[in-house]
Amino acid sequence: MKVIVDLCVVPIGVGVSLASYVATCERVLQQAGLTIRLHPNGTAIEGEWAPVMAAIEACHVAVHAMGCPRIFTTVTINTRTDRDQSLDDKLASVQALLG
Amino acid sequence: MKVIVDLCVVPIGVGVSLASYVATCERVLQQAGLTIRLHPNGTAIEGEWAPVMAAIEACHVAVHAMGCPRIFTTVTINTRTDRDQSLDDKLASVQALLG
Amino acid sequence: MKVIVDLCVVPIGVGVSLASYVATCERVLQQAGLTIRLHPNGTAIEGEWAPVMAAIEACHVAVHAMGCPRIFTTVTINTRTDRDQSLDDKLASVQALLG
Amino acid sequence: MKVIVDLCVVPIGVGVSLASYVATCERVLQQAGLTIRLHPNGTAIEGEWAPVMAAIEACHVAVHAMGCPRIFTTVTINTRTDRDQSLDDKLASVQALLG
């Protein structure tokens, strides 16, 4: 099943500077071969269910391996059976209406 | 890796009465043998990463099979390496402070 | 406008033990006179838009006042114009189907 | 209090084509004079607490006025007292590490 996901990984217990942890997650997602779009509050991801969820687990493993003892992650998952839709389609359909 | 998850499945394109879809998801989660706590806005889940995520995928499959063409799901994921914590521990630690 | 909200406040930069911050938020919400239901992953809240959002802001003020430098909060907001629904109605409608 | 928010408004009960509702919300946010960045899964928003939350309420009012009977919205809220950070800073700090 194809999914469009939005991911935000929040490391807890490692202070307030989180960019290095987010950058690690970006590299994990890139290496997984997923289509991704980094934005100010997270990362949009497009792919099949199993590899996307495996990549999110790999993000948790990588962030814990950096010494982070606790992680809080938000994920939104979109699936649809009526038609295929990409991340770029989703954005373009709104931008077209905004002119 | 053990996870504590909060799950909210929102069926789209099937009107405004969603309880039957949520009930279907509850049965899927129960049949997966996971520890779950239904609450007004979702379901708290405790388990290992892979079976929890497989059960959430099974919820999507079941809701689509009921004729729902589009699903939006929110998931929050908690992992920690410092200590083991259950759903009931998490709630009890706050309730103890509230007296 | 009436809202049903789910709230999860995540203090960042104060270590991994967060229960005291969550308990502070519970007291803020109680003192605001809102209908609330604490669950393992957050708090369900029922009320009018403005007082609910003001109470969530008061939670941020209170947690920062405890010395927390950064906060990440998730909120889900449900509104409907077709009928009135309470937190307890929402839970009961699913539980009735589960038998 | 300054906030960085991520917003995703999900109209329920109006079928599966949601772009027109999302475009309406974008216009509401623009007219509120907020700094916003549309992305594939939502909109990043920067501003002061009260006007940001008032603009989100105005999105709900506008979507209900389009005939939508039920709305499910996700909001993440970031506040920090240690330093000022903009949406663009937040993105740039990760991109700098990715090279």
Side-chain angles (χ1 to χ4, degrees):
Chain A
M1 182 162 31
K2 184 177 166 185
V3 292
I4 288 187
V5 158
D6 209 75
L7 173 70
C8 177
V9 175
V10 181
I12 298 172
V14 288
V16 294
S17 297
L18 307 180
S20 64
Y21 301 93
V22 176
T24 293
C25 292
E26 286 303 295
R27 287 192 202 98
V28 167
L29 298 171
Q30 286 169 352
Q31 287 165 10
L34 300 168
T35 301
I36 58 176
R37 300 281 179 272
L38 181 67
H39 63 77
N41 290 314
T43 305
I45 308 172
E46 177 184 338
E48 290 294 315
W49 189 290
V52 170
M53 296 306 163
I56 297 173
E57 184 178 12
C59 290
H60 274 242
V61 170
V63 171
H64 282 310
M66 291 172 77
C68 175
R70 186 171 181 173
I71 305 171
F72 177 79
T73 289
T74 62
V75 182
T76 62
I77 305 171
N78 297 268
T79 61
R80 54 196 306 179
T81 54
D82 59 323
R83 71 183 185 91
D84 191 38
Q85 188 180 40
S86 71
L87 281 178
D88 293 341
D89 292 339
K90 211 159 171 266
L91 187 57
S93 65
V94 176
Q95 288 174 325
L97 292 171
L98 292 172
Chain B
M1 183 161 34
K2 183 177 165 183
V3 293
I4 287 187
V5 158
D6 210 75
L7 173 71
C8 177
V9 175
V10 181
I12 297 173
V14 287
V16 293
S17 296
L18 307 180
S20 63
Y21 301 93
V22 176
T24 292
C25 292
E26 287 303 296
R27 285 190 202 100
V28 168
L29 298 171
Q30 286 169 352
Q31 287 164 10
L34 299 168
T35 301
I36 58 176
R37 300 281 180 272
L38 181 68
H39 63 77
N41 291 313
T43 305
I45 308 172
E46 177 184 338
E48 289 295 313
W49 189 291
V52 169
M53 296 305 163
I56 297 173
E57 184 178 11
C59 291
H60 274 241
V61 170
V63 171
H64 282 310
M66 291 172 76
C68 175
R70 186 171 182 173
I71 305 172
F72 178 80
T73 289
T74 62
V75 182
T76 62
I77 305 170
N78 297 268
T79 60
R80 54 196 305 179
T81 54
D82 59 323
R83 70 181 185 93
D84 190 39
Q85 188 181 40
S86 70
L87 282 178
D88 293 340
D89 291 340
K90 211 160 172 267
L91 188 56
S93 65
V94 176
Q95 288 175 326
L97 292 171
L98 292 172
Chain C
M1 182 162 33
K2 183 177 166 184
V3 292
I4 288 186
V5 159
D6 210 74
L7 173 71
C8 177
V9 175
V10 181
I12 297 172
V14 287
V16 294
S17 297
L18 307 180
S20 63
Y21 301 93
V22 176
T24 293
C25 293
E26 286 303 296
R27 285 191 203 99
V28 168
L29 297 171
Q30 286 169 352
Q31 286 164 11
L34 300 168
T35 302
I36 58 176
R37 301 279 179 274
L38 181 68
H39 63 77
N41 290 313
T43 305
I45 308 172
E46 178 183 338
E48 289 295 313
W49 189 291
V52 169
M53 295 306 162
I56 297 173
E57 184 178 12
C59 291
H60 274 241
V61 170
V63 170
H64 282 311
M66 290 173 76
C68 176
R70 186 171 182 173
I71 304 172
F72 178 79
T73 289
T74 62
V75 182
T76 62
I77 304 171
N78 297 269
T79 61
R80 55 195 305 180
T81 54
D82 59 323
R83 71 182 185 92
D84 190 38
Q85 187 180 41
S86 70
L87 282 178
D88 294 341
D89 292 339
K90 211 160 172 263
L91 188 57
S93 66
V94 177
Q95 288 175 325
L97 291 170
L98 292 172
Chain D
M1 182 162 33
K2 184 177 165 184
V3 291
I4 287 187
V5 158
D6 209 75
L7 174 70
C8 178
V9 175
V10 180
I12 298 172
V14 288
V16 294
S17 297
L18 306 180
S20 63
Y21 301 94
V22 176
T24 293
C25 293
E26 286 303 294
R27 286 191 202 98
V28 167
L29 298 171
Q30 285 169 354
Q31 287 165 11
L34 300 169
T35 302
I36 58 176
R37 300 281 179 272
L38 181 68
H39 62 77
N41 290 315
T43 305
I45 308 171
E46 177 184 338
E48 290 294 314
W49 189 292
V52 169
M53 296 305 163
I56 297 173
E57 184 178 12
C59 291
H60 274 242
V61 170
V63 171
H64 282 310
M66 290 172 77
C68 176
R70 185 171 182 173
I71 304 172
F72 177 79
T73 289
T74 63
V75 182
T76 62
I77 305 170
N78 297 268
T79 61
R80 53 196 306 178
T81 54
D82 59 324
R83 72 183 185 90
D84 190 38
Q85 188 180 40
S86 71
L87 281 178
D88 293 341
D89 292 339
K90 209 159 173 266
L91 188 56
S93 65
V94 176
Q95 288 174 326
L97 291 171
L98 292 172

